[in-house]
């Protein structure tokens, strides 16, 4: 009998996936470990490897098929000595019953009702961009006869072969004037030309749908509480400059041994503050608060398909150069959809940094079942009064979003005080 190749469960929350591409075709020989297909899940686009040896006898589910249920047969593998006649004996099983919208249980954005006995997976849907697909305009474009235009404008447009539906009028009530037509016909930069296709549809892939659902559920279910603090970063910037200068001296072939970013130092400081305030390294469950023994920091990375949060594990124990190298590697592979599930599932605390975009302050949405996320804004120079003298200092705004069920205001404030100490006295990161 042929060996059934089924849709694998590539993450703890996966119930279905999209069969993106086949890497093998019917008649191809495969051995254990060969990549045979790419599956788009609610978390990433991942390669599927063959478990058995044989020949691809039949591809049951075509490439590009969406909503393939876990354990559904996607292909048949012929063993040695079997030919295509063996396929005649195979009969497809009844396809799994599709869930209705009312039956489908949303992925766990809010904390589960009971705490797991082992450390829980903290799945956060990310990745796998889908190519935009243009759709027909929602309404048919107006004909030239129905466009509001002056008689002179119509005559000039007819003489010059100008489509009035592509001109935006500047006259009363949007009426197209002679000047509008002349500007449009001359191709002048002052012309206002309207695209006849009003809009296109960009389909939401699995990742976008799950992100939207979980963010909505997080805001609806998790009682968010926000705490903001300003920290001076002059000492941190000076320490970073010195370390990067040292890295240049230690480098080879003209390349520095490493290059620290402000974000790398914020990751380290956040991890050390969590080590000092372990009651913020927690998750809420109805029967217990789960406190993590390891400091694993998730860091938001923007990709074409949305946000994904690769994890720096044991960040409190790693050196700044190690954090920097690991973060660059994780971010690069995240943008290429090459992260392994264990590299973005889990974590006890998240960081979202929009400072590089010039955003001064913002409030991030908590990523359940985590209880905290730190929003990092841009540093800016401000004037402070010290000993009666005005002094220019660089200040960065930090906002901590906490799940008030697990971390109350006082605990959150204590965490921010610990974080402020490490950022303003970066020498403490090396103690």
């Amino acid at each position: 009998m042929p060996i059934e190749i089924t849709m694998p469960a590539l993450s703890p929350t996966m119930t279905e996936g999209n069969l993106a591409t086949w890497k093998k075709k019917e008649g191809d020989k495969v051995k254990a470990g060969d990549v045979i297909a790419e599956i788009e899940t609610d978390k990433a686009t991942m390669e599927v490897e063959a478990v058995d040896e044989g020949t691809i006898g039949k591809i049951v589910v075509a490439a590009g098929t969406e909503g393939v249920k876990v354990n559904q047969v996607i292909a048949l593998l012929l063993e040695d000595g079997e030919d295509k006649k063996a396929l005649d004996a195979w009969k497809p099983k009844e396809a799994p019953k599709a869930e209705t919208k009312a039956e489908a249980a949303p992925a766990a954005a809010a904390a589960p009702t009971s705490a797991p006995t082992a450390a829980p997976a903290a799945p956060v849907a990310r990745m796998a961009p889908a190519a935009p697909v243009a759709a027909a305009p929602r309404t048919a474009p107006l004909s030239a006869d129905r466009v509001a235009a002056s008689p002179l404008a119509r005559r000039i447009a007819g003489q010059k072969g100008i489509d009035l539906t592509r001109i935006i009028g500047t006259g009363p009530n949007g009426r197209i004037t002679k000047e509008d037509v002349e500007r449009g016909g001359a191709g002048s930069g002052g012309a206002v030309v309207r695209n006849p296709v009003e809009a296109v549809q960009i389909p939401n892939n699995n990742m976008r749908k799950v992100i939207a659902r979980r963010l909505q559920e997080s805001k609806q279910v998790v009682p968010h509480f926000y705490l903001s603090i300003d920290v001076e970063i002059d000492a941190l910037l000076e320490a970073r400059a010195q370390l990067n200068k040292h890295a240049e001296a230690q480098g080879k072939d003209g390349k520095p041994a490493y290059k620290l970013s402000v974000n790398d130092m914020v990751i380290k400081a956040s991890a050390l503050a969590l080590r000092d305030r372990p009651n913020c390294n927690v998750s809420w469950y109805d029967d217990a608060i789960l406190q993590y023994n390891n400091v694993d920091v998730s860091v938001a990375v923007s990709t074409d398909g949305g946000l994904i949060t690769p994890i720096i594990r044991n960040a409190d124990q790693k050196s700044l150069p190690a954090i920097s190298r690991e973060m660059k590697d994780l971010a690069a592979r995240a943008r290429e959809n090459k992260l392994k599930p264990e590299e973005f599932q889990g974590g006890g605390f998240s960081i979202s940094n929009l400072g590089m975009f010039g955003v001064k302050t913002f409030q991030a949405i908590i990523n359940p079942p985590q209880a905290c996320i730190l929003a990092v804004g841009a540093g800016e120079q401000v004037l402070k009064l010290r000993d009666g003298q005005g002094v220019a200092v660089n200040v960065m705004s930090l906002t901590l979003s906490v799940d008030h069920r697990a971390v109350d205001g006082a605990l959150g404030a204590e965490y921010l005080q610990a974080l402020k100490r490490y950022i303003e006295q970066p020498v403490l990161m090396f103690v």
Side-chain angles (χ1 to χ4, degrees):
M1 284 289 291
I3 299 172
E4 295 181 344
I5 301 174
T6 59
M7 171 65 78
L10 299 175
S11 72
T13 58
M14 178 178 170
T15 57
E16 63 179 34
N18 301 336
L19 207 162
T21 58
W22 280 104
K23 296 298 185 182
K24 300 288 184 179
K25 60 182 183 296
E26 292 183 2
D28 285 355
K29 292 186 177 297
V30 298
K31 57 185 179 180
D34 285 352
V35 175
I36 59 173
E38 286 186 347
I39 303 296
E40 181 186 274
T41 74
D42 61 350
K43 300 185 179 303
T45 298
M46 289 183 261
E47 296 177 337
V48 176
E49 297 180 354
V51 177
D52 303 289
E53 294 185 1
T55 302
I56 301 292
K58 182 178 182 179
I59 290 177
V60 179
V61 177
T65 303
E66 298 183 355
V68 183
K69 300 293 183 183
V70 168
N71 295 326
Q72 181 177 336
V73 177
I74 58 175
L76 299 175
L77 189 68
L78 296 174
E79 296 184 271
D80 288 342
E82 289 185 327
D83 56 25
K84 288 204 170 185
K85 292 181 180 179
L87 299 173
D88 297 335
W90 178 81
K91 293 184 179 180
K93 299 175 183 177
E94 186 177 348
K97 182 182 177 182
E99 292 179 314
T100 64
K101 289 185 179 179
E103 294 169 338
T113 56
S114 61
T117 55
V124 182
R126 302 287 187 263
M127 300 192 65
V133 179
R138 279 182 262 178
T139 56
L142 292 174
S143 66
D145 293 339
R146 295 174 60 192
V147 173
S150 69
L152 181 56
R154 289 185 184 279
R155 182 162 60 83
I156 296 174
Q159 293 172 349
K160 295 186 176 182
I162 297 173
D163 183 0
L164 287 177
T165 63
R166 295 178 60 85
I167 303 295
I168 294 180
T170 59
N173 299 318
R175 186 181 180 88
I176 297 174
T177 66
K178 166 192 169 185
E179 290 75 16
D180 295 329
V181 175
E182 289 176 340
R183 284 196 300 270
S188 165
V192 180
V193 180
R194 188 171 180 81
N195 191 323
V197 179
E198 294 294 338
V200 296
Q201 290 181 348
I202 302 175
N204 293 321
N205 60 10
N206 283 355
M207 172 200 163
R208 289 290 187 187
K209 292 176 182 177
V210 175
I211 288 176
R213 183 170 66 243
R214 291 183 175 176
L215 289 178
Q216 181 179 359
E217 289 172 351
S218 177
K219 288 292 286 185
Q220 289 176 335
V221 176
V222 177
H224 285 59
F225 188 77
Y226 306 102
L227 300 159
S228 295
I229 193 170
D230 288 336
V231 295
E232 296 183 15
I233 58 172
D234 291 283
L236 182 141
L237 294 176
E238 178 60 26
R240 171 176 173 262
Q242 291 182 16
L243 290 168
N244 283 338
K245 187 175 181 179
H246 174 72
E248 291 178 2
Q250 298 296 314
K252 297 179 180 179
D253 302 324
K255 295 182 179 179
Y258 54 85
K259 188 173 182 180
L260 298 180
S261 67
V262 171
N263 198 53
D264 297 330
M265 302 186 78
V266 170
I267 293 170
K268 176 70 173 180
S270 299
L272 291 173
L274 278 178
R275 184 192 65 187
D276 295 348
R277 298 290 184 271
N279 47 15
C280 290
N281 190 21
V282 296
S283 290
W284 167 266
Y285 296 91
D286 285 348
D287 58 349
I289 291 176
L290 197 69
Q291 182 170 304
Y292 301 107
N293 292 323
N294 297 304
V295 180
D296 299 332
V297 178
S298 306
V299 184
V301 173
S302 177
T303 72
D304 290 340
L307 288 178
I308 186 168
T309 53
I311 303 166
I312 304 291
R313 299 195 183 275
N314 299 111
D316 59 319
Q317 302 175 42
K318 292 179 178 175
S319 67
L320 283 167
I323 289 174
S324 180
R325 295 189 189 101
E326 187 174 347
M327 193 64 240
K328 287 179 174 62
D329 172 65
L330 289 170
R333 290 191 290 114
R335 295 186 179 102
E336 296 172 356
N337 293 354
K338 292 182 178 179
L339 288 181
K340 300 174 183 178
E342 62 268 21
E343 292 177 318
F344 60 86
Q345 292 178 8
F349 183 94
S350 289
I351 294 175
S352 180
N353 189 340
L354 294 178
M356 66 283 291
F357 298 105
V359 176
K360 291 174 58 178
T361 182
F362 66 103
Q363 297 172 337
I365 299 176
I366 293 169
N367 176 25
Q370 296 178 7
C372 299
I373 183 170
L374 181 71
V376 182
E380 63 173 349
Q381 198 169 67
V382 300
L383 194 64
K384 284 195 172 184
L385 193 64
R386 287 181 180 166
D387 299 327
Q389 300 292 324
V391 179
V393 296
N394 287 288
V395 172
M396 181 169 65
S397 178
L398 305 174
T399 298
L400 184 69
S401 305
V402 302
D403 180 344
H404 213 315
R405 298 171 299 181
V407 179
D408 60 29
L411 292 179
E414 289 175 4
Y415 173 81
L416 286 178
Q417 287 298 321
L419 177 59
K420 178 183 176 74
R421 183 171 65 254
Y422 283 112
I423 289 178
E424 294 189 345
Q425 303 176 62
V427 67
L428 297 177
M429 297 187 199
F430 307 98
V431 176

